[in-house]
Amino acid sequence: MYARAKTCSLEGLDGFVVEVECDLSRGLPRFLMVGLPDAQIRESSERVHAAIKNIGLPYPQQRITVNLSPANRRKDGSQMDLAIAVSVLTAQGLCDPEVVDSFVFLGELQLNGEISGIKGALPMVASLRECGYRKFIVPEENKQETAVIGDVDIYPASNLRDVVSLLNGKESITVAERVVSEEAGRSYDYDFSDIKGQAQLKRALEVAAAGGHNLLMIGPPGSGKSMSAKRLPTILPRMDFDEAIEVTKIYSVSGELSEHRLMTERPFRAPHHTASGVSLIGGGRIPKPGEISLAHRGVLFLDELPEFQSRVLEVLRQPMEDGHIHISRASARLEFPSDFQLVASMNPCPCGYYQDPGHECSCSMQQIKTYLGKISHPLLDRIDLQVEVRPVSYDEMKTHERGETSEVVRGRVEKARAFQAERFKDTGIKTNADIPDNLVERYCRLSPQSQKLLDLAYKKYKFSGRSIHKILKVARTVADLKCQNAIGDEDVLEAIRYKTVEGKYWSE
């Protein structure tokens, strides 16, 4: 007897259809699986055997051959358990093969027949939907996650017995209702009004949020760098539905999707400085997204930047520019999205008090140069805004006056983003930070007077070509915050000021 059932396997964030073929033949009872399965899939034979037996159905005492087609592509994950069990039951004549052929089966089996949640359910359903499949049986645990996709029928099942009843027309499983975005109900534990003083830093955070720019904060310990960085997501524009789907797919594959529902808040990732290159960019034997992909459409915060290994920091350069990361392995070449905003903070020296008027620095110049030298100029070039953060005075700390709330600042940021969206309509460009180098002159045109200011700054600070482009993009954002099409002299001067900190510390 022969039967088949469809399931899915992932390569990165993209899924492909796997035909689970089962053949029952005469011979000693044996379960043989072929088609490049990994260890998790090979172990499914024992889970399937126990699950079928424990729901009261017969298990074939024959030679069972299961093929995972296409046989030339590696498969991984425990989500194939349900499809394997259904193919075995169908080969025995216990399920209607025509009904089985209309479904895609995703789920891990427990020994008692219950169906457990899986990683990557959303990208699997999304990928197979693009291939034309419309009916999916998924674990109950993954119902909220997968029900966000339109034009498909999601059948959430909690037990193998329920699936068999559905396939034989004896009982039905209610199709999950589509889940819509929950943006309106989101809230943060932090608010922008918590930041006392620090007018220049708050302005830089607003500009960074409005244009999608990277930001570096340099200042002594206790000046509020980390606290301010945590509040950046509260002023970023709300994610639209497509962005929420992108982010949710990444977290689903990584197994970090809390409550298996659509993510509506922008990610904020803050890896420790002991993080390895693989944990930061992704990879492993079975490549998974790293921190830069988990920060997609959100913020990647690197606290104590010089404490990270230099080779780890250098791997950030390419994804910062391209918005994606390629991971090559012998079996496949995968691409993960990594369109994130880098926010970094650091002390100006090992003790933290270099050039601080309130404290005496105990570091030698050689120690300071060695410390700052851990950050390469090519990496600094890719950071649009560099801000010197001074300690908050005691009078500013004890004041009960609260600054602007996140809601107020976000309103200005969203207005600037809408201004950019109108300018970049039908171009694929989302923010000023994404403007390609060959289009900078088109979108960031300066008046003759403003061009003279930039020429003088170039001669004085010896900016690189990339730095000049960064200055122009930031100036474009400053003008957008005022909803002005023309870039003014004051916009250029503010953008230049955000690039002079590098010369103050790294050139001495």
Side-chain angles (χ1 to χ4, degrees), residues 204-445:
L205 288 167
E206 183 176 341
V207 172
H213 302 291
N214 301 318
L215 172 66
L216 173 64
M217 299 174 285
I218 306 175
S223 54
K225 302 185 297 294
S226 300
M227 185 266 283
S228 301
K230 291 177 181 177
R231 282 150 180 80
L232 177 59
T234 69
I235 65 171
L236 289 173
R238 296 173 176 83
M239 285 197 294
D240 59 33
F241 184 73
D242 291 337
E243 289 178 328
I245 288 288
E246 287 180 32
V247 174
T248 306
K249 286 169 64 175
I250 297 170
Y251 276 72
S252 178
V253 169
S254 302
E256 295 197 18
L257 188 60
S258 61
E259 300 181 3
H260 292 278
R261 61 178 65 242
L262 186 70
M263 292 186 63
T264 56
E265 295 182 2
R266 292 190 180 273
F268 180 85
R269 306 292 298 188
H272 193 260
H273 59 75
T274 57
S276 66
V278 171
S279 67
L280 207 60
I281 68 168
R285 185 182 63 84
I286 301 174
K288 297 295 182 184
E291 290 291 340
I292 62 173
S293 295
L294 292 169
H296 181 63
R297 302 298 183 195
V299 176
L300 177 68
F301 177 49
L302 302 183
D303 197 10
E304 304 296 343
L305 189 64
E307 299 299 332
F308 285 81
Q309 298 180 38
S310 297
R311 62 180 181 83
V312 172
L313 293 178
E314 294 308 306
V315 302
L316 292 174
R317 287 159 52 180
Q318 180 260 328
M320 283 172 65
E321 290 289 314
D322 298 342
H324 56 261
I325 181 71
H326 291 284
I327 299 175
S328 297
R329 294 293 182 269
S331 58
R333 186 173 186 266
L334 307 179
E335 178 182 306
F336 291 116
S338 58
D339 187 4
F340 61 90
Q341 273 186 262
L342 175 66
V343 178
S345 69
M346 59 179 288
N347 298 328
C349 67
C351 79
Y353 295 113
Y354 178 54
Q355 295 195 3
D356 181 3
H359 296 82
E360 183 179 350
C361 177
S362 61
C363 305
S364 67
M365 289 306 299
Q366 184 58 44
Q367 287 176 316
I368 295 172
K369 288 182 178 180
T370 301
Y371 183 78
L372 296 175
K374 296 179 181 179
I375 313 300
S376 69
H377 283 281
L379 180 61
L380 287 170
D381 257 359
R382 288 168 169 80
I383 300 178
D384 312 46
L385 310 175
Q386 300 162 9
V387 182
E388 191 173 19
V389 183
R390 291 299 183 185
V392 180
S393 68
Y394 179 68
D395 290 337
E396 289 174 323
M397 283 192 295
K398 71 178 184 179
T399 183
H400 295 293
E401 295 182 7
R402 297 181 68 82
E404 292 182 313
T405 64
S406 295
E407 186 177 356
V408 171
V409 180
R410 190 195 300 124
R412 293 198 297 267
V413 169
E414 290 182 336
K415 193 174 181 179
R417 287 285 185 103
F419 202 69
Q420 294 169 48
E422 182 62 27
R423 178 189 305 119
F424 301 135
K425 186 167 54 179
D426 301 326
T427 65
I429 302 172
K430 284 185 171 289
T431 63
N432 290 330
D434 299 329
I435 299 175
D437 291 342
N438 62 328
L439 297 179
V440 169
E441 291 185 6
R442 174 181 174 183
Y443 292 115
C444 306
R445 188 174 290 109

Side-chain angles (χ1 to χ4, degrees), residues 65-174:
T65 304
V66 171
N67 176 46
L68 306 179
S69 176
N72 63 335
R73 300 178 75 170
R74 293 191 176 276
K75 298 97 182 170
D76 65 86
S78 57
Q79 73 278 357
M80 298 188 188
D81 287 5
L82 182 57
I84 293 171
V86 168
S87 68
V88 171
L89 292 171
T90 306
Q92 294 184 85
L94 299 177
C95 294
D96 187 336
E98 291 187 6
V99 178
V100 169
D101 198 49
S102 66
F103 285 94
V104 175
F105 300 89
L106 303 171
E108 175 186 326
L109 289 177
Q110 296 185 17
L111 299 185
N112 61 357
E114 292 183 0
I115 302 174
S116 301
I118 59 173
K119 297 180 182 179
L122 177 60
M124 289 179 192
V125 173
S127 297
L128 266 58
R129 174 186 175 275
E130 294 176 359
C131 298
Y133 296 94
R134 291 294 181 268
K135 298 172 72 175
F136 299 83
I137 295 180
V138 304
E140 178 75 29
E141 190 176 336
N142 297 106
K143 177 177 70 173
Q144 294 282 345
E145 172 187 350
T146 54
V148 300
I149 301 177
D151 304 328
V152 298
D153 293 331
I154 301 296
Y155 294 80
S158 57
N159 193 284
L160 178 59
R161 186 183 296 106
D162 299 334
V163 175
V164 175
S165 297
L166 172 68
L167 298 176
N168 290 324
K170 296 179 180 179
E171 294 183 15
S172 62
I173 297 176
T174 303

